[in-house]
């Protein structure tokens, strides 16, 4: 039985003193090999909504914890892959999240982003309720790294 692969990518911007998520864009790789922007609606296939909710939950936990720690987040880019069996049962969830810091932020703010802070963010992302409710047999890998 062949596996199914669902691929998404995300980009968000975080400007100003509050570093709220702005301009969040989620794209889906279609069977034709084209990236298609996703606008959530009740007409979207339910399984795709579920997978997007998994991606967005990870993103929300990443951004919320970065804000809580006062990290000068400027942007987040992510690649997200979900592999299922041929009958749509989740097997693997893999996310690669990349952070860019605000180059205009003070050195003190930028200095808060160290190995311990990155490990904290990654650990907190595992607490996303959508992820926590995945069946135990699903392989989960979420990587987090700092760009530049």
């Amino acid at each position: 039985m062949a596996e199914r692969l669902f691929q998404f990518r995300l980009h968000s911007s975080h400007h100003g003193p509050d570093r709220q998520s702005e301009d969040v864009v989620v794209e889906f790789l279609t069977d034709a090999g084209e990236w298609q922007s996703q606008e959530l609606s009740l007409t979207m296939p339910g399984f795709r909504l579920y997978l997007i909710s998994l991606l967005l939950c990870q993103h929300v936990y990443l951004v919320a914890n970065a804000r809580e720690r006062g990290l000068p987040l400027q942007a987040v880019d992510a690649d997200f892959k979900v592999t299922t069996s041929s009958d749509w049962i989740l097997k693997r969830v893999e996310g690669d999240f990349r952070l860019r810091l605000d180059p205009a932020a003070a050195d003190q703010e930028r200095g808060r982003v160290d190995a311990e802070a990155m490990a904290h963010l990654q650990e907190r992302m595992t607490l996303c309720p959508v992820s926590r409710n995945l069946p135990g047999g699903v392989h989960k890998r979420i990587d987090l790294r700092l760009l530049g």
Side-chain angles (χ1 to χ4, degrees):
M1 296 181 114
E3 294 181 333
R4 297 175 189 263
L5 177 63
F6 299 87
Q7 296 182 73
F8 299 88
R9 61 186 182 191
L10 175 144
H11 175 78
S12 64
S13 301
H14 308 270
H15 302 290
D18 64 356
R19 307 268 181 218
Q20 291 281 358
S21 294
E22 301 172 3
D23 305 320
V24 178
V25 176
V26 174
E27 295 176 300
F28 172 70
L29 186 61
T30 67
D31 291 338
E34 298 174 359
W35 287 103
Q36 182 181 77
S37 183
Q38 299 296 284
E39 297 296 325
L40 301 182
S41 73
L42 296 177
T43 60
M44 179 178 278
F47 191 70
R48 191 178 311 164
L49 279 170
Y50 172 66
L51 299 179
I52 291 171
S53 73
L54 182 58
L55 169 58
L56 291 176
C57 190
Q58 297 292 314
H59 178 262
V60 165
Y61 268 60
L62 167 61
V63 172
N65 284 282
R67 289 181 65 224
E68 183 179 285
R69 288 197 145 209
L71 307 181
L73 190 61
Q74 182 183 49
V76 175
D77 291 296
D79 294 309
F80 201 71
K81 297 178 183 179
V82 179
T83 305
T84 71
S85 64
S86 61
D87 56 350
W88 304 77
I89 303 300
L90 292 179
K91 294 175 83 175
R92 283 187 303 281
V93 173
E94 301 169 303
D96 177 25
F97 288 79
R98 298 166 306 279
L99 310 180
R100 278 194 310 271
L101 301 180
D102 184 348
D107 288 342
Q108 178 185 7
E109 284 182 293
R110 294 174 64 82
R112 293 182 195 135
V113 186
D114 56 12
E116 186 275 328
M118 294 293 285
H120 174 79
L121 292 176
Q122 192 165 1
E123 188 273 328
R124 296 292 294 174
M125 289 171 73
T126 66
L127 300 178
C128 157
V130 181
S131 298
R132 291 179 62 185
N133 280 288
L134 290 174
V138 176
H139 169 78
K140 298 171 248 178
R141 180 189 56 79
I142 300 296
D143 292 328
L144 182 61
R145 61 190 162 105
L146 189 60
L147 298 177

